[in-house]
């Protein structure tokens, strides 16, 4: 028997056995869990966007106060030639 035939035989044996009983409230529990996961993911997404917006705001405020695009003033004066 090839490896594929062995797998196929194992699957056929599994399908020929009686199926285990499924709890009656399985669908309700799955729907409740799914809605809980959706709420959690939505809350995490909102928190992430809020933190991103706050980081952008903090950067804009820092940039407007520090003005890093301007050349800093010289700390010493050039020598005076005495004209």
């Amino acid at each position: 028997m090839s490896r594929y035939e062995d797998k196929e035989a194992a699957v056929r044996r599994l399908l020929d056995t009686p199926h285990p009983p499924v709890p009656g409230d399985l669908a309700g529990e799955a729907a409740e869990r799914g809605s809980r996961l959706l709420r959690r993911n939505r809350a995490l997404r909102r928190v992430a966007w809020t933190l991103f917006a706050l980081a952008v705001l903090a950067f804009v405020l820092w940039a407007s106060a520090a003005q890093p695009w301007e050349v800093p003033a010289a700390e010493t004066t050039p020598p005076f030639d005495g004209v």
Side-chain angles (χ1 to χ4, degrees):
M1 277 191 150
S2 71
R3 195 172 164 139
Y4 176 75
E5 291 171 346
D6 289 340
K7 288 183 181 180
E8 185 178 351
V11 169
R12 289 189 187 277
R13 278 193 307 271
L14 281 174
L15 291 175
D16 288 340
T17 60
H19 301 294
V22 177
D25 60 344
L26 183 65
E29 289 180 10
E32 182 182 332
R33 182 170 189 252
S35 63
R36 189 170 51 241
L37 286 173
L38 284 175
R39 279 193 310 270
R40 187 180 126 229
N41 287 342
R42 191 178 304 130
L44 287 174
R45 212 170 22 252
R46 284 180 181 163
V47 167
W49 276 109
T50 303
L51 289 174
F52 176 71
L54 288 174
V56 168
L57 178 66
F59 175 76
V60 167
L61 291 176
W62 169 80
S64 66
Q67 297 178 352
W69 54 86
E70 291 184 0
V71 178
E75 296 192 15
T76 60
T77 58
F80 183 66
D81 288 339
V83 176

